[in-house]
Amino acid sequence: MDYVILGAGPAGVIAAETLRKADPAGSVTVVGEDGTYLRHGARHYADLGIEVRRDCATAVSPAERTVALAGGASLSYDRLLIATGSRAAVPPIPGMDLPGVETCWTPSRTHARSRRACAPARAWCSWAPASSAASSCRPWPRAA
């Protein structure tokens, strides 16, 4: 079984590790740039037999069971999981929109690199909301 996971955040990483336990012989590929830092061992993913592709999906073809990547490659899958993230809930508290106030989901420099690399390709990136395609990809507000 070939598993492809779009999104390398916490959900994608945990899903990959869980799939590895459930199907030790299956092929598990995680596509994204974010959360793979969640496991600090340099060989963590290699030791588990999980391939990490630092790329972004530009198209999914359910009929062909393929995912096209911004880097030009294509991945075949038997099962596809889209774990591309969410948006932080911001409570209605006065001052939440002031410079320097950020949620825990505020993008890092990795997100900025991903956004620059993927936006021209109109790609689904690991930081994009799960409910939307790259058309909603836009610069995130940054603190002053």
Side-chain angles (χ1 to χ4, degrees), residues 11 14 35 46 49-50 66-67 72 113 116-117 122 130 141:
I14 297 298
I50 297 171
T66 60
V67 175
R113 284 193 306 273
R116 281 193 304 273
R122 296 184 54 80

Side-chain angles (χ1 to χ4, degrees), residues 56-60 68 70 114-125 127 132-137:
C56 296
T58 57
V60 175
S114 175
R115 193 168 51 246
R116 281 193 304 273
C118 299
R122 296 184 54 80
W124 290 302
C125 301
W127 54 270
S132 65
S135 61
S136 69
C137 294

Side-chain angles (χ1 to χ4, degrees), residues 53-66:
R53 301 285 297 257
R54 299 206 184 278
D55 209 334
C56 296
T58 57
V60 175
S61 175
E64 295 176 10
R65 293 183 170 267
T66 60

Side-chain angles (χ1 to χ4, degrees), residues 21-49:
K21 289 177 188 172
D23 186 356
S27 167
V28 179
T29 303
V30 177
V31 179
E33 294 190 356
D34 260 1
T36 53
Y37 70 86
L38 295 170
R39 304 298 187 247
H40 295 286
R43 296 206 28 92
H44 177 77
Y45 298 101
D47 289 346
L48 289 176

Side-chain angles (χ1 to χ4, degrees), residues 1-4 19-20 23-29 49-51 76:
M1 184 79 57
D2 292 329
Y3 304 96
V4 173
L19 282 168
R20 174 51 63 227
D23 186 356
S27 167
V28 179
T29 303
I50 297 171
E51 180 184 1
S76 297

